Amino acid sequence: MKSEPQSELELLERASNIAGISFQELADEAKIEVPPDLRRDKGWVGQLLEWHLGATAGSKPTQDFEQLGIELKTIPISYSGKPLETTFVCVAPLVGVHGLTWETSHVRNKLSRVLWVPVEGEREIPLAERRVGSPLIWSPSEEEELQLKTDWEELMEMIVLGRVEQINARHGEMLQLRPKAANSRVLTEAYGASGKPIKTLPRGFYLRTQFTARILEQHFI
DNA sequence: GCGTGATCATGA
DNA sequence: TCATGATCACGC
């Protein structure tokens, strides 16, 4: 593992220095194997980049670079430069949500400052040959933050009203709520009708590709 | 089971 | 073709 970067500039420089490098080359340096594909290693690219950039948070529910207040997100892009996948943000709280506000939410904290690292994501490109793209540091604009806040409040209101099982991925303009679990049999506690406890599938907040596409676009304009 | 890292696979 | 709902691996 590399040391933790001591400043935002140092982090950005590290990310810039691996732009254009193939996953094979990065894996060799980290002394790890490149899997044949991502079917059984969905988080492999993210962990490869964590290693190279010196992220230390591990599986803690905090920003990847706590000291710098920065979250790392790799984002797979198509040949046209558009995101191929939505972006997971964090697990959604389903209980103990009384008094939670956007201002203190994990979503806002994680997205307050993000190092986006685009990576080649087309499945027809062998994993070992895919390359890292140019990084960018981003914070939400006022408009973006308002969009996120609006979505978050709508989703959290449904959760607190015991309507979590009526939420589907079509809710939320930019921020959506979807399953986040090992499989569909996993259960966690939530509020049901009349506030009675129920067991339901754990959920996570995800950014729509439309939202992340704009972030990347604006950087290149 | 929870939270991290996410992408897969299928129906519309 | 594309987004939704489901899924995979790991540390603890």
Side-chain angles (χ1 to χ4, degrees):
Chain A
M1 187 58 118
K2 299 208 170 182
S3 63
E4 198 173 347
Q6 295 303 302
S7 69
E8 183 173 298
L9 182 61
E10 186 185 348
L11 175 58
L12 186 56
E13 282 174 347
R14 280 192 198 185
S16 300
N17 284 337
I18 57 172
I21 308 293
S22 72
F23 294 173
Q24 181 67 68
E25 208 170 326
L26 295 178
D28 287 347
E29 193 182 332
K31 295 182 166 53
I32 58 177
E33 296 275 311
V34 181
D37 54 58
L38 295 177
R39 278 181 295 182
R40 296 195 162 273
D41 296 88
K42 298 182 180 182
W44 185 82
V45 179
Q47 286 160 1
L48 179 66
L49 270 289
E50 283 183 350
W51 188 93
H52 278 273
L53 299 177
T56 54
S59 64
K60 286 186 290 183
T62 61
Q63 289 161 310
D64 293 295
F65 301 94
E66 258 183 289
Q67 191 175 309
L68 302 179
I70 297 175
E71 174 74 8
L72 168 66
K73 287 294 177 198
T74 59
I75 184 163
I77 56 168
S78 66
Y79 292 127
S80 63
K82 291 182 178 172
L84 284 165
E85 298 288 346
T86 55
T87 300
F88 172 70
V89 180
C90 60
V91 163
L94 301 183
V95 293
V97 304
H98 179 70
L100 287 191
T101 64
W102 165 251
E103 281 65 32
T104 58
S105 68
H106 286 177
V107 173
R108 183 172 185 259
N109 179 249
K110 289 228 174 186
L111 297 181
S112 61
R113 200 146 183 84
V114 179
L115 174 65
W116 296 100
V117 182
V119 296
E120 289 181 332
E122 295 283 4
R123 291 188 207 177
E124 68 176 47
I125 307 176
L127 191 56
E129 295 175 19
R130 296 184 200 172
R131 294 165 297 169
V132 176
S134 297
L136 71 108
I137 294 257
W138 166 88
S139 289
S141 66
E142 280 188 30
E143 183 189 1
E144 288 167 332
E145 173 144 359
L146 183 58
Q147 290 174 325
L148 295 171
K149 177 182 179 181
T150 302
D151 289 339
W152 183 88
E153 289 179 341
E154 176 198 340
L155 295 166
M156 290 308 298
E157 176 158 338
M158 289 186 73
I159 288 171
V160 77
L161 292 177
R163 299 176 61 204
V164 64
E165 295 193 315
Q166 295 170 49
I167 300 174
N168 57 45
R170 294 154 188 91
H171 289 86
E173 274 190 74
M174 299 299 169
L175 189 70
Q176 58 179 183
L177 198 75
R178 303 219 310 275
K180 173 59 172 169
N183 56 61
S184 58
R185 279 95 61 195
V186 174
L187 295 174
T188 194
E189 193 159 277
Y191 306 128
S194 315
K196 291 176 187 167
I198 61 166
K199 289 287 193 177
T200 194
L201 194 54
R203 316 298 165 101
F205 288 110
Y206 295 80
L207 296 174
R208 294 187 183 280
T209 54
Q210 174 193 341
F211 186 81
T212 50
R214 288 211 185 266
I215 295 172
L216 301 181
E217 271 174 28
Q218 289 180 12
H219 184 71
F220 289 108
I221 289 171

